[in-house]
Amino acid sequence: MKSILSFIMIAVLSILGGQAHAQVTIGSGEPPAKGALLDMKEKEAANGTKNAEKGVLFPRVELSGLTSLQPLLNAADAVDATQKLIHKGIVVYNVKVSANLQEGFYYWDGTKWVIMGSGGNLAAGWELQGNSGTDPAKNFVGTTDNKDLSIRTNSKDRIHITSGGNVGIGNTNPQYVLDVADTAHVNNLKVSDAPLLANATNMVIDDNGNVGRAYKTASNFTFGDIYSVVMGAPITNKDPHNNIIKIPLNVQIEVTTPPHTECLYFIDYNMPCHYIKNNSDTVKIGYIGVTLFKTTIQSTAELPEGSRKFTTFRKGYSNTNAIGMPIIGKATDRIRNESDIPQKTTYSLSGYIEMNVNGDEVRFGMYAATGENYNWGRGTMSVLSYIKVLD
C-alpha cells in the first residue's frame, strides 16, 4: 500500500512539475483569476457573487514569543536574519496566550508578530456608524507606543494629543494640558465667584460664554459672608485650683481670606455663664469670663479686644449660692492676604476661670440642654466679613 501511494505522489508531482511556478486554482478546475497566484473557488463567478461554500482554515500554532519564529522554524533558523525577512507576511492563528501574545490572527512583519484587527479578530474595528459591546478597559482609540495621536478633518490636524498627554486644538505642538491656538467660545460654563485682581487685567467670561479680558481698578470694602454657630450642650467645670484655667467651649468659626484681598471680620458672641456655690463654702473665686482666640497656619494667640471677664461674688453677698449672666463680646480683625493662595483663620472661644479654690461648679453656654432651666440662654458666635481687592 505504501508503495502505491508513493507511486501516485511521484506521478502527480511529475505532471505538475512543469507548472510549479504557474498560477494555481484550488477547489475546482476553473482557471485562476488573472491577478492571483492562488485562487480558491468551487466555481466561476465573474460578477463577484458566491463562488464557494467552504472557507480557509488557517494553521493554529503556539507562538513562543513576540519576536521569535518558533515553532514555524527550528531554534537556529528562527533567529536567522535572512529567514526572518523571507517569512515576512506569513499569517498564523495563535492559540497560546502569554504576557505579550493573545489568541488571534498574527502576521510576521520581518522582526515581530503583529496582531491583526482588534484582539486578533479580523472583522473587528471602529465602525463609522458607531460601536457596541466595547470594554473601555480593552477598547480605545489611540496609540500603544510612544507616539502622538492626530485627529484630522480635510487632511488637516485639528486635535493633536502628544505622547505625554498634552492636548492641542489647532496646535500640533501643545505645551500645556490644554493648548488652544485659536478663538474659544464657551457656553453655560459654571464657575465659582471670585474677586478680580485690582489694577490688573483679568480673564472674564460673560453670561453668553464669551471669554475676554477686563481691567479692574481698586475697590472699597463690600459684603463678603456671614458665619454663625450655636452651642448644643453646656460646658461644665468644677476643678479646684488657685490659678487661671482656660476651657475650650467647642465654639469656633473658620473664615477664608481669598488671594490678593483684604478682609474685615466683625466677631460677636454671647456666652451665658453660671456659677453655683456650695452653701457651706466661703466664696473663693476670682473672675469668670471668656477668652477669644485667633488661630492661623502660623500660630494661635488671644485676640484681647474680644476677651471679657467679670467678678463673681463680693463679701456682702456671701450667702448667695448662684449667679448667672451673659458675657457679651465684640472684636474686629483685619487680614491682608497678598499671596496667591487662600488664607484660613479660625476664631474660637474658651472659658476663663480664675482661682476656683473650692472647686465650685461653673457652667458655660447654657444651664442645661433640656429641662426647666434650658432657656437660660445658649452660647452663640457669629462673624461678619467684608472684602476688597488689593490695590
Side-chain angles (χ1 to χ4, degrees), residues 180-365:
V180 182
D182 208 339
T183 303
H185 178 83
V186 182
N187 286 321
N188 301 321
L189 179 65
K190 300 296 183 181
V191 296
S192 59
D193 293 332
L196 299 178
L197 300 182
N199 299 325
T201 300
N202 298 263
M203 185 182 78
V204 296
I205 303 173
D206 66 16
D207 292 338
N208 296 319
N210 296 308
V211 179
R213 294 180 296 176
Y215 188 82
K216 173 68 175 179
T217 57
S219 64
N220 295 321
F221 281 102
T222 58
F223 174 73
D225 207 343
I226 187 167
Y227 313 83
S228 64
V229 63
V230 179
M231 289 183 69
I235 300 296
T236 302
N237 181 273
K238 49 184 178 180
D239 297 331
H241 61 276
N242 58 4
N243 49 18
I244 296 172
I245 63 171
K246 294 179 181 180
I247 308 159
L249 299 180
N250 300 327
V251 176
Q252 62 182 36
I253 291 176
E254 182 183 77
V255 298
T256 301
T257 305
H260 305 289
T261 65
E262 185 174 14
C263 288
L264 277 175
Y265 295 105
F266 297 90
I267 304 131
D268 287 270
Y269 66 84
N270 187 329
M271 183 61 60
C273 295
H274 309 280
Y275 169 66
I276 302 173
K277 177 182 73 70
N278 294 324
N279 290 330
S280 59
D281 289 344
T282 302
V283 176
K284 291 185 179 179
I285 191 166
Y287 295 91
I288 295 176
V290 172
T291 304
L292 175 63
F293 285 98
K294 172 183 175 180
T295 301
T296 66
I297 193 173
Q298 290 86 13
S299 63
T300 296
E302 180 180 355
L303 200 59
E305 178 187 345
S307 297
R308 301 288 187 273
K309 305 175 183 69
F310 73 95
T311 304
T312 57
F313 292 101
R314 299 180 184 273
K315 286 185 178 181
Y317 299 97
S318 60
N319 291 327
T320 304
N321 67 348
I323 186 172
M325 67 177 293
I327 298 179
I328 299 172
K330 294 178 179 291
T332 304
D333 194 24
R334 182 188 293 261
I335 298 178
R336 184 181 179 91
N337 183 8
E338 299 180 351
S339 71
D340 295 325
I341 60 175
Q343 179 177 321
K344 295 186 180 297
T345 304
T346 300
Y347 300 104
S348 60
L349 303 178
S350 288
Y352 176 98
I353 304 175
E354 182 176 331
M355 297 185 67
N356 188 5
V357 177
N358 295 327
D360 294 327
E361 181 175 302
V362 180
R363 295 185 185 182
F364 293 93

Side-chain angles (χ1 to χ4, degrees), residues 29-96:
E30 299 292 335
K34 290 184 178 181
L37 285 175
L38 177 62
D39 191 352
M40 291 177 283
K41 57 188 175 183
E42 293 179 333
K43 62 180 181 180
E44 192 61 70
N47 58 357
T49 58
K50 182 180 74 172
N51 64 1
E53 294 185 350
K54 300 291 188 295
V56 178
L57 183 60
F58 281 82
R60 295 182 294 272
V61 302
E62 292 185 350
L63 296 177
S64 62
L66 191 64
T67 58
S68 173
L69 279 170
Q70 288 184 288
L72 280 67
L73 302 177
N74 59 40
D77 290 337
V79 297
D80 182 75
T82 301
Q83 290 297 325
K84 288 184 175 182
L85 293 176
I86 289 174
H87 287 82
K88 187 175 182 179
I90 193 169
V91 177
V92 298
Y93 187 92
N94 178 52
V95 295
K96 182 180 180 181

Side-chain angles (χ1 to χ4, degrees), residues 143-149 161-165:
T143 63
T144 57
D145 54 7
N146 191 27
K147 302 294 183 181
D148 292 0
L149 173 66
I161 306 174
T162 68
S163 59

